[in-house]
Amino acid sequence: MSNLTSIIGKPELLVVNDFHPETIKFLDRQYSTHHFWKSGAAEKQQLINDLQGKCTAVATASWDCDPLIYELESLRLISAFGVGVDGIDFERTAAQGIQVSNTPDVLDDAVADLAVALILNCTRNLINAESFARTGEWNKGPFQFGHSLAGKTLGIAGLGRIGQAIAARAAPFKLNIAYHNRNKKDVPYTFCSSLTELAEISDILLCMLPGGEETRNVINAEVLAALGKQSYFVNVGRGSSVDEEALLHALKTGAIAGAGLDVYKNEPHIPDGYADLKNVVLLPHIGSATVETRRAMGQLVIDNLAAHFAGNSLLTEVRS
Ligand code: NAP
Ligand code: 8YV
């Protein structure tokens, strides 16, 4: 990091949050970077004022961004780390002529792997089985049976890039696939025109929907009731899609069999009550969190910035 005047020749870059230290280290060498998250409110405002007319790009986590950046009138690019761009205000980017890039595709495999891990964890009760073995409870008798996957139906809400990678992984487990999107796709899976219809036919309902207003609380009490007491809910999309009170109630009352969650509404806070339950697996938003995947995501952030400063087309522009 440098102050505004000390490095001449390197473009100014505002780094909004500590999204990936390895990538930020690289950016620190390439650009005259400013680590926004390290500043207090007054310093942030001062930095925005100082950078007016000099700084055209920011790098940020895709799902979490500081709204102060929109006060930077010279801003032309938000290079976002992550595929889900619910942290970006697209009304403001459109109004201010700011391009947005994200990091699609390179994380599909890691996130799909984690989704499958959650499905297996839920249906075979692996977390509790591990503690059963570790604590010696096994000496008192066998562990309760789980449920097989073969012949069951996996319902995917949001069959996009990652959803399709999950469906491909589900095939060798002999799962039938159904899905709900706004638009029917040319795929050999059962299309459901509503989430309730999807839940009704699913043994496992997996949410891979993007966040944002359109999907807020769409996994609600009605959908969970339709899923039913033998079935599981898995969320690897966004916590904002779930009515977390309704889900807690469904888990506590046995209205559904269990859940596996990687994402929550107000991360890193997990709502009270969840941690006390045995029928839920709680993960700390680690879908894309492998060394290789995060590095590939960082490379896209770097490459989109380089394209912007070279006056070239972005590699992965988000068109809203
Ligand atoms: P994608 O390719 O854009 O897929 C999203 C799918 O959701 C699309 O097929 C879309 O189809 C459908 N969809 C969008 N809005 C909908 C709505 N209102 N109702 C029904 N279906 C809707 O995105 P992706 O790359 O697979 O990523 C999906 C999301 O996963 C991201 O936005 C992010 O929030 C989340 N994610 C989580 C992690 C993690 O670590 N847990 C990691 C990466 C991504 P239609 O357009 O036909 O509706
Ligand atoms: C990351 C994600 O947790 O890509 C997304 O949308 O949610 C995840 O890959 C996030 O991008 C880390 O900043």
Side-chain angles (χ1 to χ4, degrees):
M1 189 170 47
S2 71
N3 70 38
L4 282 178
T5 49
S6 63
I7 295 182
I8 296 164
K10 287 188 182 182
E12 304 288 350
L13 177 69
L14 190 62
V15 184
V16 178
N17 35 46
D18 195 12
F19 59 85
H20 184 229
E22 185 181 298
T23 300
I24 294 172
K25 243 186 214 165
F26 180 89
L27 296 175
D28 286 341
R29 291 195 295 273
Q30 295 292 110
Y31 300 102
S32 174
T33 54
H34 307 277
H35 293 182
F36 209 41
W37 75 95
K38 291 179 183 164
S39 305
E43 273 176 289
K44 278 185 179 171
Q45 192 60 61
Q46 187 56 52
L47 191 53
I48 293 288
N49 297 344
D50 291 346
L51 289 172
Q52 292 292 1
K54 300 184 190 119
C55 178
T56 61
V58 306
T60 179
S62 66
W63 55 279
D64 181 27
C65 188
D66 190 323
L68 255 189
I69 64 161
Y70 302 108
E71 290 186 19
L72 192 53
E73 285 167 20
S74 48
L75 185 60
R76 291 293 168 267
L77 172 66
I78 298 173
S79 182
F81 181 87
V83 70
V85 282
D86 42 328
I88 310 299
D89 183 338
F90 283 93
E91 276 182 22
R92 297 203 69 172
T93 58
Q96 294 176 221
I98 302 167
Q99 288 184 293
V100 179
S101 62
N102 67 345
T103 63
D105 303 316
V106 295
L107 42 59
D108 295 354
D109 287 328
V111 182
D113 289 350
L114 191 88
V116 172
L118 275 174
I119 291 169
L120 287 167
N121 255 298
C122 288
T123 53
R124 301 299 293 271
N125 203 358
L126 294 183
I127 300 285
N128 294 314
E130 204 273 349
S131 115
F132 190 86
R134 188 181 289 266
T135 59
E137 268 187 86
W138 192 9
N139 293 312
K140 298 179 207 154
F143 189 66
Q144 72 193 68
F145 296 154
H147 290 281
S148 298
L149 293 182
K152 301 281 168 56
T153 297
L154 170 65
I156 302 179
L159 188 81
R161 289 169 292 237
I162 301 170
Q164 288 181 91
I166 295 167
R169 281 159 174 74
F173 288 100
K174 302 180 184 168
L175 279 158
N176 305 310
I177 306 293
Y179 73 101
H180 167 69
N181 279 5
R182 289 166 301 187
N183 309 294
K184 194 170 186 291
K185 270 186 141 65
D186 185 17
V187 287
Y189 309 134
T190 305
F191 175 71
C192 295
S193 58
S194 76
L195 279 173
T196 307
E197 194 189 317
L198 181 69
E200 266 163 11
I201 63 165
S202 296
D203 297 289
I204 302 132
L205 175 66
L206 187 139
C207 179
M208 210 57 246
L209 290 168
E213 277 319 304
E214 219 185 304
T215 55
R216 188 168 300 283
N217 290 334
V218 291
I219 305 292
N220 55 23
E222 181 193 317
V223 170
L224 294 168
L227 187 60
K229 56 184 194 298
Q230 308 287 346
S231 304
Y232 298 87
F233 172 66
V234 173
N235 193 10
V236 193
R238 281 288 183 266
S240 58
S241 302
V242 178
D243 177 339
E244 291 179 330
E245 273 299 313
L247 176 59
L248 186 65
H249 184 72
L251 288 164
K252 274 184 168 169
T253 57
I256 64 169
L261 308 175
D262 186 42
V263 287
Y264 312 86
K265 263 202 175 96
N266 185 21
E267 296 173 7
H269 174 71
I270 295 178
D272 291 345
Y274 277 89
D276 302 328
L277 297 178
K278 287 272 189 197
N279 58 346
V280 61
V281 181
L282 302 171
L283 300 182
H285 198 152
I286 54 168
S288 68
T290 70
V291 172
E292 298 83 356
T293 301
R294 288 288 167 91
R295 193 166 285 161
M297 292 163 68
Q299 192 59 50
L300 271 177
V301 170
I302 291 165
D303 293 346
N304 278 303
L305 284 166
H308 163 78
F309 285 111
N312 296 332
S313 303
L314 299 177
L315 283 83
T316 50
E317 181 171 1
V318 182
R319 294 179 196 276
S320 55

